[in-house]
Amino acid sequence: MVEETFVMIKPDGVKRRLIGEVIKRFEQKLMEIVDIKMKLLSREEAEKLYAMHRGKSFFEHLINYTTSGPVVLIKIRGEEAVMNCRIVVGETYPEKRKAGSIRGDFSPFLTENVVHASSSKEDAKRELSIFF
Ligand code: CMP
């Protein structure tokens, strides 16, 4: 089923000039970019996006990093887009990442991991509504 999801190229991805590379990988998976913008997130926006991680040990670090430079916010549409974008992105934990995924190919780090994609249909709806 065709659906929409939320993708964000994180500050390290932007700083490393990976915007084109990241977008290419979603497009070659037949995902369609339907809206896109670059923005330096406020603390409030970052805390809203990562509300599910509030109270966890890494929350402060995650918010400081997410607001450390501009990000690219993307509304993306495609067949089972939530699942397929997660496959393109790769796993959260470095030891599980496969070569061929964005994180597997570009990041050895847990936090500075180039890109975010919503992890469920509910999260996609909520995260899209924050920025679009
Ligand atoms: P992301 O998929 O954007 O969702 C939450 C982010 O928190 C995750 O990528 C990582 O960048 C970051 N993070 C930092 N530490 C942890 C941790 N211990 N467990 C999960 N996520 C973490």
Side-chain angles (χ1 to χ4, degrees):
M1 205 185 67
V2 173
E3 64 188 10
E4 289 182 346
T5 192
F6 172 70
V7 164
M8 179 175 81
I9 305 176
K10 300 188 181 190
D12 61 315
V14 173
K15 281 190 190 109
R16 291 173 60 191
R17 313 286 195 267
L18 290 173
I19 294 173
E21 176 68 37
V22 168
I23 289 175
K24 183 194 85 178
R25 286 168 177 243
F26 289 110
E27 289 193 327
Q28 72 187 9
K29 189 81 175 178
L30 297 185
M31 299 293 117
E32 178 191 2
I33 309 295
V34 292
D35 207 345
I36 184 165
K37 55 193 172 192
M38 187 177 241
K39 196 171 185 215
L40 180 59
L41 298 191
S42 65
R43 265 199 97 72
E44 290 67 32
E45 287 172 316
E47 287 182 1
K48 218 167 169 186
L49 174 63
Y50 286 126
M52 69 287 264
H53 297 303
R54 190 182 280 283
K56 292 184 185 164
S57 58
F58 59 86
F59 186 71
E60 259 317 292
H61 179 57
L62 178 62
I63 298 304
N64 287 338
Y65 153 66
T66 305
T67 56
S68 66
V71 298
V72 178
L73 306 161
I74 306 172
K75 184 196 274 199
I76 216 164
R77 181 185 297 147
E79 183 66 22
E80 301 291 337
V82 173
M83 176 192 74
N84 280 308
C85 288
R86 294 285 287 191
I87 291 171
V88 171
V89 164
E91 297 280 341
T92 299
Y93 295 100
E95 66 272 23
K96 290 192 174 169
R97 289 178 193 156
K98 302 263 194 316
S101 66
I102 296 170
R103 289 176 179 172
D105 288 349
F106 292 104
S107 172
F109 304 120
L110 179 58
T111 302
E112 292 166 340
N113 57 12
V114 183
V115 65
H116 163 88
S118 307
S119 61
S120 67
K121 293 175 201 279
E122 296 69 40
D123 281 347
K125 226 176 174 177
R126 192 185 68 78
E127 293 170 9
L128 281 171
S129 76
I130 301 172
F131 301 110
F132 293 99

